[in-house]
């Protein structure tokens, strides 16, 4: 049986300032404190591997967790956060032009033939996250910590629960009803071809 602890990265300055994140956004001091608290949750669990998005905020979170476990972090681009258009990265979410761009992107989220620029749509993200899950399941170990991002966590949940039935409209339902706190931990198992969710967004270490 495979057991995977999915962890959202700690807070960043971008989170705190209400910006669309850049790829190289580091953790804030608060985010490092969150990651340190999350790391204690794994101290008495035998973890075999830590894999993380190589975006700075997720990789740094994984490194803080790994310090208590003593494992080298395996980086992967497959666990990156959804790619937003380059034009909005690092910009305030309240800026009128940025709002216009993102509204247009969201309106075309399920249109595989439309792109504003270099962003990912539903199909791009779904296929990448499916590949990420396959990569995790292929690791020759039993228990894994995987550090990733909020949007990706929602897509992981949607793929596991809806399988081949997942479409843009079903994902919107998931998106509106699921939240992942910074360093929230979601525990899943995979056994005999079946996923089981044991916890979602456990962030009791922050309370």
């Amino acid at each position: 049986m495979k057991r995977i602890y999915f962890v959202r990265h700690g807070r960043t300055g971008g989170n705190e300032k209400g910006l669309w994140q850049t790829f190289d956004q580091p953790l804030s001091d608060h985010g490092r404190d969150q990651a340190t608290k999350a790391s204690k949750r794994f101290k008495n669990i035998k973890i075999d591997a830590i894999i993380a998005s190589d975006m700075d905020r997720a990789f740094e979170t994984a490194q803080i967790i790994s310090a208590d476990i003593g494992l080298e972090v395996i980086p992967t681009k497959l666990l990156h956060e959804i790619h937003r258009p380059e034009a909005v990265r690092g910009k305030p979410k309240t800026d009128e032009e940025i709002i216009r761009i993102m509204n247009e992107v969201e309106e075309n989220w399920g249109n595989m033939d439309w792109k504003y620029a270099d962003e990912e749509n539903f199909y791009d993200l779904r296929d990448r996250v499916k590949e990420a899950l396959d990569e995790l399941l292929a690791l020759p170990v039993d228990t894994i910590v995987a550090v990733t991002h909020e949007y990706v966590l929602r897509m992981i949940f949607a793929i596991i629960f809806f399988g081949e039935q997942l479409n843009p409209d079903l994902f919107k339902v998931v998106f509106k009803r699921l939240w992942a706190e910074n360093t929230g931990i979601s525990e899943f198992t995979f056994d005999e071809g079946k996923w089981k969710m044991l916890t979602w967004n456990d962030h009791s270490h922050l309370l």
Side-chain angles (χ1 to χ4, degrees):
M1 181 177 70
K2 190 86 68 177
R3 187 179 301 271
I4 305 176
Y5 297 92
F6 293 102
V7 183
R8 186 185 174 196
H9 64 79
R11 280 179 70 84
T12 70
N15 291 142
E16 293 163 0
K17 295 175 183 176
L19 307 178
W20 290 108
Q21 304 263 36
T22 60
F23 288 4
D24 59 353
Q25 185 77 53
L27 296 179
S28 65
D29 289 342
H30 182 53
R32 293 184 185 97
D33 180 64
Q34 289 178 318
T36 299
K37 289 176 178 175
S39 73
K40 308 306 179 189
R41 300 288 299 279
F42 299 106
K43 204 164 187 178
N44 296 316
I45 300 173
K46 185 183 179 298
I47 302 298
D48 302 314
I50 302 178
I51 187 166
S53 156
D54 63 4
M55 288 182 170
D56 289 3
R57 55 196 183 272
F59 195 75
E60 186 179 359
T61 300
Q63 286 180 311
I64 292 170
I65 292 171
S66 73
D68 270 336
I69 299 173
L71 293 172
E72 185 175 345
V73 180
I74 303 168
T76 178
K77 296 185 183 302
L78 295 176
L79 289 174
H80 272 189
E81 181 58 296
I82 183 173
H83 296 180
R84 308 290 188 183
E86 185 175 4
V88 310
R89 295 173 205 158
K91 303 293 177 57
K93 293 182 178 181
T94 54
D95 181 278
E96 288 187 6
E97 177 61 12
I98 302 305
I99 291 172
R100 185 195 66 77
I101 292 171
M102 289 307 298
N103 282 344
E104 191 173 359
V105 168
E106 289 168 15
E107 286 168 7
N108 289 279
W109 163 245
N111 183 352
M112 67 173 60
D113 298 319
W114 185 94
K115 287 283 183 75
Y116 176 83
D118 56 343
E119 77 280 0
E120 290 180 311
N121 59 28
F122 165 81
Y123 302 97
D124 298 324
L125 184 63
R126 180 200 62 185
D127 292 349
R128 175 162 64 80
V129 173
K130 280 184 177 180
E131 190 177 351
L133 289 173
D134 288 343
E135 180 179 271
L136 290 170
L137 294 177
L139 288 174
V141 297
D142 295 326
T143 307
I144 302 164
V145 172
V147 184
T148 185
H149 306 261
E150 179 191 357
Y151 223 93
V152 170
L153 282 166
R154 285 163 161 162
M155 183 60 80
I156 287 169
F157 179 97
I159 289 171
I160 288 173
F161 274 75
F162 293 108
E164 295 304 314
Q165 296 179 337
L166 181 61
N167 58 42
D169 290 334
L170 282 174
F171 181 79
K172 285 181 180 179
V173 173
V174 170
F175 183 83
K176 289 178 180 178
R177 288 167 173 77
L178 278 186
W179 167 253
E181 185 66 53
N182 289 105
T183 69
I185 300 168
S186 299
E187 181 183 358
F188 288 76
T189 59
F190 184 84
D191 190 31
E192 297 182 353
K194 295 181 180 179
W195 286 97
K196 180 183 289 186
M197 184 178 74
L198 303 182
T199 60
W200 175 264
N201 190 34
D202 179 359
H203 56 284
S204 56
H205 51 278
L206 301 179
L207 303 179

